[in-house]
């Protein structure tokens, strides 16, 4: 990534965190200077000089910029670690505020006759990983997880799996022996196995074919299956709960292929 690309990426992220474009450009510009005047900053960032002052006032109020009241005024960005921590605190505060606001909203037209079986689609690795972690956390009896890609064995997932209580049976399948060994080392309390689902990642699979990412069955009633889209490597999933015994039994048998019957506590 070139310097120009890095700068534009930083500006985009700052806007996503709530700064306006001129504010983001001024902060990024100051991060490249020890100190700078409005004129110097305007020349560097292409922000109109009159708008630089407005942007600086906002950045100062947010604790991201310091001002020296000299003639002309000098500006400087706070240290990067301090700035990122300040932005993180502000972002988390907004998220908490959103949660608290929506948590008190009254549900309208709640349907008491919701179908027993439901299937929903979702996209994005972060969202799918969050749903996976929540399902694992809520498990009370059994977790069967098959991973189709080693990149999905994240630190957060490993931590969540290691927090599973002894009262919950934890079965984790892998597609290869190296991945199984990696899982066993990372999650020593789990029963690991080599999945027999060759269609997950067989030798004939090409880069143009969609690959299965993760399969999760919790307490024989909640299922999550994800796929990894070729090219973009984005993850998509379907999630369902409240299934009848037939579908759950079939899903579990498919997911647990390769697990020896003698080691299967639910046989």
């Amino acid at each position: 990534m070139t310097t120009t690309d890095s700068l534009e990426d930083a500006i985009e992220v700052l806007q996503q965190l709530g700064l306006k474009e001129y504010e983001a450009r001024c902060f990024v510009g100051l991060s490249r200077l020890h100190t700078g005047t409005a004129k110097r900053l305007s020349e560097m960032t292409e922000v109109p000089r009159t708008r630089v002052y407005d942007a600086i006032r906002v950045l100062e109020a947010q604790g991201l910029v310091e001002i020296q009241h000299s003639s002309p005024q000098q500006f400087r960005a706070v240290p990067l670690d301090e700035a990122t921590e300040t932005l993180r605190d502000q972002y988390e505060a907004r998220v908490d505020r959103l949660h608290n606001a929506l948590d008190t909203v009254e549900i309208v037209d709640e349907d008491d006759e919701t179908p027993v079986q439901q299937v929903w689609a979702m996209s994005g690795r972060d969202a799918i990983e969050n749903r996976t972690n929540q399902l694992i956390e809520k498990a009370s009896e059994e977790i069967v997880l098959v991973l189709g890609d080693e990149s999905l064995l994240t630190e957060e997932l490993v931590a969540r799996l290691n927090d599973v209580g002894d009262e919950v049976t934890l079965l984790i399948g892998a597609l290869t022996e190296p991945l199984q060994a990696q899982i066993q080392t990372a999650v020593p309390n789990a029963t690991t196995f080599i999945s027999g689902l060759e269609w997950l990642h067989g030798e004939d699979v090409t880069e143009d074919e969609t690959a299965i990412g993760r399969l999760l069955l919790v307490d024989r009633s909640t299922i999550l299956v994800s796929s990894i889209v070729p090219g973009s490597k984005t993850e998509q999933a379907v999630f369902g709960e409240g299934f009848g015994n037939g579908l759950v039994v079939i899903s579990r048998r498919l997911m647990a292929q390769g697990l020896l019957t003698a080691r299967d506590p639910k046989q």
Side-chain angles (χ1 to χ4, degrees):
M1 181 179 290
T2 65
T3 297
T4 300
D5 291 338
S6 296
L7 294 174
E8 290 301 320
D9 189 44
I11 291 169
E12 180 180 351
V13 172
L14 286 168
Q15 288 182 264
Q16 293 173 353
L17 291 173
L19 295 185
K20 295 180 180 179
E21 181 182 358
Y22 285 168
E23 295 162 5
R25 290 191 176 278
C26 285
F27 179 78
V28 170
L30 284 176
S31 69
R32 305 179 66 193
L33 301 170
H34 291 296
T35 62
T37 63
K39 179 182 178 181
R40 179 74 178 93
L41 200 54
S42 177
E43 294 171 347
M44 173 180 287
T45 63
E46 297 183 354
V47 174
R49 185 171 176 179
T50 55
R51 301 298 298 277
V52 167
Y53 291 104
D54 295 333
I56 291 296
R57 279 195 290 269
V58 173
L59 292 171
E60 182 193 27
Q62 295 193 24
L64 300 175
V65 163
E66 297 173 341
I67 299 177
Q68 184 180 74
H69 294 284
S70 54
S71 182
Q73 287 185 325
Q74 297 282 338
F75 314 121
R76 70 177 183 182
V78 301
L80 180 58
D81 289 345
E82 181 180 332
T84 52
E85 189 63 29
T86 296
L87 288 168
R88 182 179 292 109
D89 290 342
Q90 293 175 356
Y91 186 82
E92 291 177 351
R94 293 190 185 104
V95 172
D96 290 341
R97 182 181 174 188
L98 172 64
H99 180 276
N100 293 335
L102 292 181
D103 193 43
T104 60
V105 173
E106 181 181 358
I107 301 299
V108 179
D109 294 333
E110 184 174 5
D111 188 358
D112 294 332
E113 298 181 358
T114 302
V116 174
Q117 301 181 13
Q118 302 180 34
V119 177
W120 302 89
M122 56 192 307
S123 299
R125 179 161 296 189
D126 290 343
I128 295 170
E129 183 169 10
N130 288 338
R131 178 61 56 83
T132 298
N133 292 336
Q134 289 177 7
L135 294 177
I136 291 172
E137 183 179 5
K138 293 179 180 179
S140 59
E141 297 180 6
E142 180 190 65
I143 298 169
V144 183
L145 173 65
V146 176
L147 294 178
D149 192 303
E150 64 180 10
S151 67
L152 300 179
L153 188 66
T154 62
E155 293 182 2
E156 185 175 358
L157 177 60
V158 168
R160 195 60 55 115
L161 291 169
N162 281 319
D163 285 339
V164 172
D166 295 336
E167 72 280 2
V168 178
T169 301
L170 179 57
L171 311 173
I172 307 178
L175 301 180
T176 64
E177 291 185 0
L179 180 55
Q180 181 191 22
Q182 185 179 349
I183 293 171
Q184 188 63 74
T185 300
V187 192
N189 292 330
T191 298
T192 63
F193 61 96
I194 299 296
S195 172
L197 298 177
E198 296 179 355
W199 49 271
L200 285 178
H201 191 65
E203 294 181 356
D204 296 333
V205 174
T206 68
E207 293 183 356
D208 295 331
E209 293 180 323
T210 299
I212 294 297
R214 69 185 93 200
L215 298 92
L216 175 66
L217 178 62
V218 174
D219 293 340
R220 299 193 173 200
S221 61
T222 303
I223 300 171
L224 185 147
V225 180
S226 78
S227 60
I228 299 176
V229 180
S232 66
K233 299 301 181 182
T234 57
E235 190 175 7
Q236 299 177 340
V238 290
F239 163 76
E241 56 187 342
F243 288 100
N245 289 335
L247 180 56
V248 170
V249 169
I250 292 173
S251 299
R252 190 181 188 284
R253 290 292 175 260
L254 285 172
M255 293 171 66
Q257 284 187 31
L259 179 64
L260 295 176
T261 301
R263 297 177 63 189
D264 186 344
K266 293 300 182 181
Q267 288 286 339

